[in-house]
Amino acid sequence: LILQWLVNLKTDTKKSHSEFSCEPIRLRMCQDLPYNTTFMPNLLNHYDQQTAALAMEPFHPMVNLVCSADLRMFLCALYAPVCTNYGRMSMPCQSLCQRAKDECHKLMEIFGVAWPDDMECSRFPDCDEPYPRQEDLQTSSEPTDDSSMTVQRDYGFWCPRELKVDPDLGYTFMGRKDCSAPCPSMFFNQQELTFTRYFIGVVSIVCLSATLFTFLTFLIDVTRFRYPERPIIFYAVCYVMVSLVFFLGFLLEDRIACNAVSPAQFRASTITQGSHNKACTLFFMVLYFFTMAGSVWWVILTITWFLAAVPKWGSEAIEKKALLFHAVAWGLPGALTVTLLALNKIEGDGISGVCFIGLYDIDTLRWFVLAPLCLNVAVGVSLLLVGIVALNRVRMEIPLEKENQTKLVKFMIRMGVFSVLYLVPLLTVIGCYMYEHTYRSIWETTWMEENCRRYHIPCPYKVEQTGRPLMVLFLIKYLMMLVVGIPSVFWVGSKKTCFEWASFLHGRRRKDGVNESRQVLQEQPDFAQSLLREPNTPIIRKSRGTSTQGTSTHASSTHLAVVDDLDESKASSVHSKASYHGSLRRSRDDRSDTMAYRGTEERSFHGSMPRLDHPLSTHSSLHQIDDHSRHSSQRDVSEAPPTLITHGTTASDSRVAENDGTSA
């Protein structure tokens, strides 16, 4: 009977309260009272009579058994108070409350009903008057359209019964505890949601393909991508996981981000919050952790770029800091993720089907999403600009070989284009978050105004500004969250990658030399050296690190023969330069000492290379022979045409080399 009465009551209640006014009493317990109109919300903050009737159900046995003559009037004074003028609230006296509680206390214990805390007698005025008072009855009247009887107040948001959740879950929605947002979305209809989900699914597949291709290219030849470009690989790995989570959210639809409908408890589908949903928690951990880690790896990429461009660190010198890079790139996002788990700030996203943070909690969005991303952008852009300026000054003020000039410009362009392709989507995402952060309160007020009658909750009073979010805003946000990972494929998009994949698919492995970009960075001259060098003095190219794969880049291995006497002949200068360039070509070609010796022996045998007289013609870092052998290998520079000195090696006598057992 009670359920049937509730159904009838719900049918009779055809509208909610846009402006709370006096309304007829529909509560069965409160019929035939000295007054017949009431006002909602009541003294116990029930926003309509339907909710008040549900709260009064435990007291029905005590009222029917008439444990106290004052209990029925006291309950009606709380659940259906007399309608009075605005600004004055009629409350029952403390004596009425105390008599009802004392007389019905034992019967309530029998039925297992406790006296509620919000009905404690100490809350009411200390008086001894009947309820309602005479002045209350004089101001009370039948419901009318007279504006003087209309009470206009802004009661804020009241959580509808359909959106209430269990108190132990710790949910919060629009400032109300034990409440959650409707799922799948409170702003968009089903048609818009379907289009958005398919859009996210397609973009996630594209991002997953691009980032996975980058990572697999790295696995084919791990020696190709070394520092300073190695962070791009880890950046791609991060967005492999991000796009994978979005793709799974597209496949699973609402099953992860939303709680199931419960018709028996009059509950609709609501957004998942907190860590009680294990699948939602896992989605959040992966998505948030790798999103933040990808941003940190981009900052580390700019740091390695800075170290290679400004202080001229080599690959091995930068690689020694790899442990520190990994600790920062994985440690900071991990700490933020654990903090959010401890704060229980996880929220389901009914639009994309994943779980993230800051979707309904603006403070969490501000401090755990916007602040880290803005900080990373500021640091990364600063280091990037410093590196570009340094390399541009080197290119403009120091004469490089034409081939190295081209490689350096190409590397600067690739780094700049990659950074632009990363920064534009990331800044767009930040802009979307800031726009959502600014206007979310207006969207929520508009939603409450449009759905207050549907949920039977107080409608907002005097709404000054209304607005709804644009679907294109959310489309751009999800698009840029995934597109930001696609630029990683730009770094591996070259003919060399095609050749590597072709060799891999045919079962062949091709070993190449040092990466061109890294080689140019390591072999470029030091800017400070170029400003202090004497005219007509060869530039010493150096890098702070050791060489890899047979390429000598350290200062000790590329030391040049400097002419001590400025009055030396022109042929001697030509010989020194030719010796330097020959030693570089010899080291790049990874020729052994034995082959170099044989070449000089043959040229000496046929008389094609005359004897050297100048002692500085021998390269200090390549020849380790005794004084007698070095003295016997000297020839007169003026007698020899410089074009014949092709490799910067001494043409020592074959007999001396055989006797000493040393190579050139």
Side-chain angles (χ1 to χ4, degrees):
L1 292 176
I2 294 176
L3 292 177
Q4 183 64 35
W5 174 77
L6 290 176
V7 172
N8 295 335
L9 180 61
K10 184 175 181 180
T11 304
D12 294 338
T13 307
K14 295 184 179 180
K15 66 177 182 178
S16 182
H17 314 279
S18 59
E19 293 179 346
F20 289 153
S21 58
C22 294
E23 59 185 56
I25 297 178
R26 298 186 180 89
L27 299 178
R28 185 182 60 177
M29 185 185 299
C30 299
Q31 298 295 325
D32 302 327
L33 294 178
Y35 62 95
N36 57 4
T37 59
T38 187
F39 179 79
M40 289 291 161
N42 56 27
L43 299 182
L44 301 179
N45 289 329
H46 299 125
Y47 46 83
D48 60 9
Q49 295 190 49
Q50 178 182 355
T51 307
L54 293 174
M56 291 179 69
E57 287 182 5
F59 295 97
H60 276 273
M62 278 68 71
V63 173
N64 293 334
L65 294 175
V66 194
C67 62
S68 173
D70 298 321
L71 180 61
R72 178 169 173 262
M73 181 57 68
F74 175 71
L75 294 175
C76 291
L78 299 180
Y79 289 93
V82 61
C83 186
T84 60
N85 290 334
Y86 173 62
R88 186 170 63 87
M89 182 86 59
S90 179
M91 300 180 68
C93 291
Q94 190 175 123
S95 59
L96 180 66
C97 171
Q98 196 65 45
R99 288 194 300 269
K101 181 179 180 181
D102 293 342
E103 295 173 356
C104 297
H105 180 69
K106 294 182 179 180
L107 187 60
M108 292 177 65
E109 290 182 351
I110 295 175
F111 284 94
V113 179
W115 192 265
D117 294 336
D118 52 5
M119 291 173 54
E120 282 297 325
C121 299
S122 58
R123 298 182 53 191
F124 305 113
D126 187 7
C127 60
D128 190 7
E129 297 179 1
Y131 189 88
R133 301 175 181 86
Q134 190 63 34
E135 56 269 22
D136 297 336
L137 295 176
Q138 292 177 355
T139 57
S140 178
S141 64
E142 295 292 335
T144 179
D145 293 335
D146 188 1
S147 60
S148 63
M149 295 303 301
T150 300
V151 180
Q152 299 178 351
R153 294 169 57 188
D154 189 1
Y155 291 91
F157 174 70
W158 295 66
C159 185
R161 179 178 61 173
E162 294 85 351
L163 302 182
K164 284 186 175 294
V165 296
D166 296 335
D168 57 342
L169 296 178
Y171 282 21
T172 303
F173 175 53
M174 294 178 62
R176 297 292 178 177
K177 295 182 179 180
D178 305 329
C179 190
S180 185
C183 194
S185 176
M186 58 187 293
F187 300 126
F188 307 113
N189 55 40
Q190 189 60 43
Q191 183 178 1
E192 293 173 331
L193 289 174
T194 302
F195 174 78
T196 305
R197 285 174 179 170
Y198 277 96
F199 178 81
I200 295 174
V202 172
V203 178
S204 64
I205 293 175
V206 175
C207 180
L208 180 61
S209 303
T211 52
L212 192 60
F213 175 78
T214 303
F215 180 62
L216 293 178
T217 303
F218 165 73
L219 294 181
I220 291 177
D221 186 7
V222 295
T223 61
R224 176 183 172 186
F225 300 97
R226 302 189 64 189
Y227 288 96
E229 62 264 26
R230 177 66 66 85
I232 296 178
I233 304 302
F234 303 113
Y235 166 85
V237 171
C238 292
Y239 279 93
V240 167
M241 302 304 298
V242 169
S243 56
L244 181 61
V245 171
F246 274 104
F247 180 68
L248 293 177
F250 162 72
L251 295 179
L252 297 175
E253 295 181 346
D254 300 335
R255 289 188 282 273
I256 300 298
C258 299
N259 295 318
V261 181
S262 180
Q265 300 179 352
F266 302 98
R267 292 180 180 176
S269 179
T270 56
I271 291 294
T272 300
Q273 295 183 30
S275 57
H276 71 281
N277 189 325
K278 305 306 178 185
C280 183
T281 302
L282 180 62
F283 271 43
F284 155 74
M285 292 175 62
V286 175
L287 182 58
Y288 181 80
F289 175 80
F290 284 103
T291 299
M292 293 295 108
S295 179
V296 176
W297 272 118
W298 180 79
V299 175
I300 293 177
L301 174 65
T302 60
I303 293 175
T304 58
W305 151 270
F306 173 83
L307 294 176
V310 179
K312 308 297 186 299
W313 283 28
S315 295
E316 285 72 17
I318 300 177
E319 193 168 0
K320 290 180 180 179
K321 307 295 182 181
L323 184 60
L324 177 61
F325 295 155
H326 282 276
V328 173
W330 305 121
L332 292 180
L336 292 176
T337 304
V338 172
T339 303
L340 290 169
L341 288 174
L343 296 175
N344 210 30
K345 294 296 185 179
I346 305 172
E347 296 173 346
D349 186 2
I351 299 178
S352 62
V354 301
C355 292
F356 202 61
I357 62 168
L359 302 170
Y360 301 95
D361 190 342
I362 300 299
D363 293 333
T364 305
L365 175 66
R366 182 189 304 121
W367 296 110
F368 288 92
V369 178
L370 287 176
L373 291 180
C374 292
L375 179 62
N376 291 342
V377 169
V379 175
V381 170
S382 301
L383 295 175
L384 183 69
L385 293 178
V386 171
I388 291 178
V389 170
L391 283 186
N392 189 60
R393 292 177 64 183
V394 169
R395 185 181 65 87
M396 297 296 294
E397 300 184 19
I398 299 178
L400 300 176
E401 297 178 3
K402 184 176 181 181
E403 181 182 359
N404 283 345
Q405 278 272 11
T406 304
K407 292 179 181 179
L408 183 60
V409 172
K410 181 180 178 181
F411 179 71
M412 292 174 62
I413 293 176
R414 291 181 67 191
M415 192 67 188
V417 172
F418 175 81
S419 300
V420 169
L421 292 178
Y422 171 81
L423 286 174
V424 170
L426 182 61
L427 292 176
T428 305
V429 171
I430 294 176
C432 291
Y433 277 132
M434 295 182 67
Y435 182 80
E436 187 174 348
H437 175 274
T438 304
Y439 291 96
R440 174 165 285 277
S441 59
I442 298 176
W443 300 342
E444 291 175 346
T445 302
T446 305
W447 172 83
M448 189 167 60
E449 184 180 37
E450 295 176 351
N451 294 272
C452 59
R453 292 172 178 82
R454 171 189 173 189
Y455 289 116
H456 302 284
I457 60 176
C459 294
Y461 173 63
K462 289 185 178 180
V463 179
E464 298 179 357
Q465 185 179 1
T466 60
R468 293 175 57 86
L470 299 176
M471 172 59 69
V472 66
L473 175 69
F474 284 81
L475 290 177
I476 292 175
K477 183 181 76 171
Y478 291 116
L479 173 65
M480 294 304 170
M481 287 179 67
L482 292 168
V483 166
V484 75
I486 297 180
S488 61
V489 77
F490 171 79
W491 201 264
V492 299
S494 62
K495 294 181 180 179
K496 186 175 183 179
T497 300
C498 297
F499 292 148
E500 286 184 349
W501 275 97
S503 300
F504 174 77
L505 295 177
H506 288 84
R508 299 190 301 271
R509 295 296 301 274
R510 187 167 66 96
K511 297 182 179 180
D512 294 325
V514 181
N515 181 273
E516 291 182 355
S517 302
R518 188 169 65 253
Q519 180 177 338
V520 171
L521 285 174
Q522 293 178 354
E523 291 187 358
Q524 61 176 310
D526 205 346
F527 181 70
Q529 173 200 346
S530 65
L531 298 179
L532 300 177
R533 66 187 178 91
E534 296 293 337
N536 300 325
T537 302
I539 301 173
I540 300 177
R541 303 173 183 267
K542 66 177 182 177
S543 66
R544 297 180 183 178
T546 57
S547 61
T548 58
Q549 300 182 3
T551 302
S552 178
T553 58
H554 198 276
S556 63
S557 61
T558 58
H559 180 69
L560 301 179
V562 181
V563 180
D564 294 330
D565 189 0
L566 297 178
D567 295 331
E568 288 290 334
S569 63
K570 181 178 180 180
S572 177
S573 299
V574 173
H575 170 261
S576 299
K577 295 181 181 180
S579 300
Y580 161 65
H581 289 294
S583 63
L584 287 183
R585 286 194 297 270
R586 178 176 172 270
S587 62
R588 292 195 187 100
D589 293 337
D590 198 17
R591 297 177 181 176
S592 63
D593 293 338
T594 304
M595 294 300 297
Y597 168 74
R598 290 179 179 177
T600 56
E601 181 182 6
E602 291 176 3
R603 286 192 297 272
S604 177
F605 177 76
H606 292 288
S608 58
M609 180 177 294
R611 195 178 283 273
L612 299 177
D613 291 336
H614 201 286
L616 294 179
S617 62
T618 303
H619 199 287
S620 61
S621 63
L622 297 178
H623 304 283
Q624 303 294 333
I625 58 177
D626 56 18
D627 295 339
H628 174 73
S629 177
R630 184 166 58 252
H631 177 73
S632 64
S633 64
Q634 295 175 351
R635 293 187 178 185
D636 189 4
V637 176
S638 61
E639 297 177 1
T643 56
L644 295 177
I645 306 176
T646 58
H647 294 285
T649 58
T650 60
S652 59
D653 187 79
S654 59
R655 291 174 300 172
V656 176
E658 291 176 356
N659 294 333
D660 296 340
T662 59
S663 60

